Amino acid sequence: MSHREFHYRWEYDLEAAPEALWPLVSNTNRFNLDAGVPALFKADEDAKERARGIRRRLGLSKFGVRVTWEEEPFEWMRPTRFGVVRRYTGGPVAEMRVQAELSESERGGTHLVYQVWARPRTQLGRVAIPLQIGLVSARQFAGVFRRYDRLALDDAASLALSARTRIGANERARLANIQAALIDGGAQPELVARLVETVERADDLTLARLRPYALADYWRAPRRAVLELCLQATRAGLLDFRWDLLCPLCRGPNESSATLRDVRSGAHCDSCNIRYTVNFDRSVELTFRPNASVREINVREFCIGGPQVTPHIVVQQLLAAGDSRTIAPALEAGRYRLRAANLEGSRSLVVAADGEPRATLRVEGAAWPDDELRLAPAPALCFENATDGEQLLILERTSWSDQAATAADVTALQLFRDLFATEALRPGDRISVGSLTVVFTDLRGSTRLYREIGDAVAVGAVMNHFDVLRDAIAAEGGAIVKTLGDAVMAVFRQPAPALRAVVRAQAMLAAPPARVRPLHLKAGIHTGPCIAVTLNERLDYFGSNINIAARLEPLSNGQDIIISANVRDDPQVSVMFDAPDAQLRAAPVETVLKGFDAETFSLWRVTPKQST
C-alpha cells in the first residue's frame, strides 16, 4: 500500500547575513543535537559498501523504535543551499528529504527556507510524521534558528556554553584549584577564566575536540597564548591532548593518538577509502579535551555528513550516470580542485576577477584535463557526469585551514618542549615536518674565554648565554632543539621571528650589564623542508636543509648573521631590510659550503645599519 508524501515548508526572516548563518545552520551534527534528534549509530556495512564510501548505513532509536536508513551524500552549494536524502530500511518512514536555502533578504538579513518531505511506510508513519515533524520538530527548528541568528549577530555569544552547570561540587572545587595554579604560574587570568568556563559549561560535542587556534579566534585572543595555555592546562590536569591524523581529502580526523610515539608515517581514511603519508605540517593536529577527573564527556554523533564537516568543500553534487546540472556558486579568489569521490586524479581551477563567467566541468573517468581552468568569482558551472556510474563531484579549496595547531607548529614551541620533553616519535620512524626555519649559533672565541677568565667563571657566562638565547627564541615562538657544547640548534615555523630572535640575543650578549664580559654570538639561518626523528629520546630533525643551516654559522664573525637566499626572499624578512625605518641591512655573499662542493650558494650577511 502506497502512502502519500508529507511536505513541510518553514520560512524564517533572520537578521544575520547568510555568510554569518551558514557555519551554524549547516553544522548538521550540532543542529540535530540542538533540535533534540537522538544520537545515531552506524549500521553494518559490507566490504563493497565501505569501499564505495558514498552512501552510509545509519540508524537511531526513538521511543524504543529502531530506525535504520541508507543516506545519500549531502549536496550543497556554500553558503546558500544544502540537502540530503534518506531511504529507510526499517521503521515507520520510507523516505525523507531535507533541504535548506539561505538567501539575502531585502532588508539585508537572511530569508531561510527549510523544507522536509517525508513518505510513510506504515500507518504508524502516517500518524508519527505529522506529530513529530509537523508539530514537535517545527517548534524545535524555529527555536534553534532564532538562537543561531542571535549567535551570528553577537560576537560575544558562545555556542558552546549552556546556562545549566554540568559538573558537581567536587569537580568545581578542583577546577577552582587548577584555575588558581595556572594564574600563579603566569597564565593570563582572563584566558584561564574563559577556558575554565568552557570546560565547566560547554556541551560534550564541543569539548570532545577543543582546537586552541579556533578558540583563540573566537575569543579574539593571540593564538600562541591560547595554545600555550592549553599546554599548561594539560600539565595542570585540566585537559588531555590528542594527536589527530587528518585525511588529505576530507581533512577530518580519522585516527587519534595519545602520544607522538603512536603516530605512524602512514594512515588510512575509512570515509575516503585512501591511504596517505603523514606529515607534521598538515596531517597531524593537536587537540584537547577535559581530563576525566574534572569532566567526564560522552562523545556521540548526531550527523556525519553535513557541509560543516568538510568546510573546505564549497560545492558537492551527486550526479547519476549521464546526468548534468548547472549551478552558480559564489567563489572566493584562490585555487580550487574538482574531483570525484570514487575516481583518482582531479582538475585544477583558479578563481580570479578576469576568469571565465561560465564553464562546463565534465567528468569522463580517471583522465582529467591538464590545463588550469580560470573562473570568475560567480560563474555559471555546468557539471556533467559522462561516466557510466553515479559520481559524487566535489569542488574544494586547495588551501588548508590555518586553524589547525599542527605538530609542526607545536613541536617548534619552546613551552611544549619544556613541558613535554619526552614527546617523540618511535625510534626509527621518520615523518616529514614541512618547511622549518633552522638556526645554529655558537660563541666566538669560547675556548680563549675559558683560558682568560677561568673555567668556573666561563661556565657561568656560557650558562647565562644559554638563558639569553632561550628567552629570545621563546619570545618569538621558536624552540631550542639541542645544545652542542656552546652551540645551539633552534627551530621556528617562519624565518622573520628567527631573525628577530638572533638579532635580539646578539645585542643583549654584546652589551651586557656592567662588570659582565661581552660575548659575540655567531649565527646562521636557513629555511626549508625537514624530517622529524627521535634522537637521544628527544624529538630532533635531519635532512639536507639541516646540514646547510649548520654550515652557515661558521661563516659568521659574531657581529653578523649569515642567512640563506630562502630566508632573504621571505616577504616578512624582506621588509626588515627594505622598509624606510629598517634597522638591518643585508649584503650578498657567494660561497661553497663544506659537503656541498657541487653547489654555489647565494648567502647574505646581515648586520645592524649602524654597524661599520
Side-chain angles (χ1 to χ4, degrees), residues 106-227:
E106 294 181 358
R107 56 188 179 84
T110 297
H111 184 67
L112 170 62
V113 178
Y114 197 89
Q115 298 184 80
V116 178
W117 294 263
R119 182 165 53 85
R121 182 191 306 277
T122 65
Q123 285 295 118
L124 176 60
R126 293 186 62 184
V127 176
I129 288 173
L131 178 63
Q132 178 60 45
I133 299 177
L135 295 177
V136 177
S137 294
R139 183 174 64 253
Q140 291 173 325
F141 290 177
V144 173
F145 289 137
R146 299 296 179 191
R147 179 187 173 205
Y148 287 177
D149 193 31
R150 293 193 299 271
L151 290 169
L153 292 169
D154 186 0
D155 290 336
S158 175
L159 183 65
L161 299 186
S162 166
R164 179 164 58 90
T165 300
R166 296 175 177 268
I167 64 175
N170 291 337
E171 288 79 7
R172 283 199 299 274
R174 180 169 172 77
L175 269 179
N177 291 335
I178 293 175
Q179 183 172 1
L182 287 171
I183 294 172
D184 290 343
Q188 298 179 32
E190 59 276 12
L191 290 182
V192 175
R194 298 200 75 163
L195 181 59
V196 168
E197 181 187 33
T198 299
V199 170
E200 182 176 1
R201 295 178 54 201
D203 58 45
D204 288 357
L205 190 61
T206 297
L207 293 176
R209 191 166 183 262
L210 291 173
R211 306 175 72 211
Y213 287 175
L215 281 177
D217 292 350
Y218 193 76
W219 292 344
R220 296 185 176 179
R223 286 183 168 187
R224 200 176 100 204
V226 175
L227 172 57

Side-chain angles (χ1 to χ4, degrees), residues 127-381:
V127 176
I129 288 173
L131 178 63
Q132 178 60 45
I133 299 177
L135 295 177
V136 177
S137 294
R139 183 174 64 253
Q140 291 173 325
F141 290 177
V144 173
F145 289 137
R146 299 296 179 191
R147 179 187 173 205
Y148 287 177
D149 193 31
R150 293 193 299 271
L151 290 169
L153 292 169
D154 186 0
D155 290 336
S158 175
L159 183 65
L161 299 186
S162 166
R164 179 164 58 90
T165 300
R166 296 175 177 268
I167 64 175
N170 291 337
E171 288 79 7
R172 283 199 299 274
R174 180 169 172 77
L175 269 179
N177 291 335
I178 293 175
Q179 183 172 1
L182 287 171
I183 294 172
D184 290 343
Q188 298 179 32
E190 59 276 12
L191 290 182
V192 175
R194 298 200 75 163
L195 181 59
V196 168
E197 181 187 33
T198 299
V199 170
E200 182 176 1
R201 295 178 54 201
D203 58 45
D204 288 357
L205 190 61
T206 297
L207 293 176
R209 191 166 183 262
L210 291 173
R211 306 175 72 211
Y213 287 175
L215 281 177
D217 292 350
Y218 193 76
W219 292 344
R220 296 185 176 179
R223 286 183 168 187
R224 200 176 100 204
V226 175
L227 172 57
E228 290 186 342
L229 172 60
C230 290
L231 293 171
Q232 292 169 315
T234 300
R235 180 59 71 192
L238 176 62
L239 302 176
D240 295 331
F241 66 55
R242 305 282 299 179
W243 300 99
D244 292 343
L245 303 190
L246 308 181
C247 169
L249 294 184
C250 68
R251 304 185 190 179
N254 54 85
E255 294 183 27
S256 188
S257 302
T259 69
L260 278 177
R261 189 173 296 272
D262 296 328
V263 173
R264 301 293 184 261
S265 58
H268 183 269
C269 178
D270 291 336
S271 297
C272 301
N273 194 35
I274 62 164
R275 289 202 62 81
Y276 60 94
T277 301
V278 171
N279 56 70
F280 269 17
D281 60 334
R282 286 191 176 183
S283 305
V284 187
E285 179 181 5
L286 187 68
T287 61
F288 299 82
R289 65 171 55 186
N291 184 278
S293 66
V294 173
R295 169 84 182 268
E296 289 275 6
I297 61 172
N298 181 21
V299 181
R300 297 176 297 169
E301 288 185 301
F302 298 86
C303 184
I304 65 170
Q308 207 58 20
V309 174
T310 51
H312 65 291
I313 297 177
V314 294
V315 175
Q316 181 163 292
Q317 300 288 306
L318 183 66
L319 271 68
D323 198 4
S324 65
R325 186 176 305 156
T326 299
I327 60 174
L331 304 177
E332 298 177 356
R335 297 193 179 278
Y336 293 77
R337 174 176 59 190
L338 175 69
R339 60 182 176 89
N342 286 328
L343 295 177
E344 294 183 358
S346 61
R347 182 172 190 182
S348 297
L349 305 94
V350 62
V351 174
D354 60 349
E356 296 295 330
R358 61 182 63 251
T360 296
L361 301 177
R362 184 180 174 88
V363 180
E364 296 179 308
W368 297 83
D370 294 330
D371 63 309
E372 185 175 67
L373 182 61
R374 198 172 184 87
L375 297 174
L381 298 180

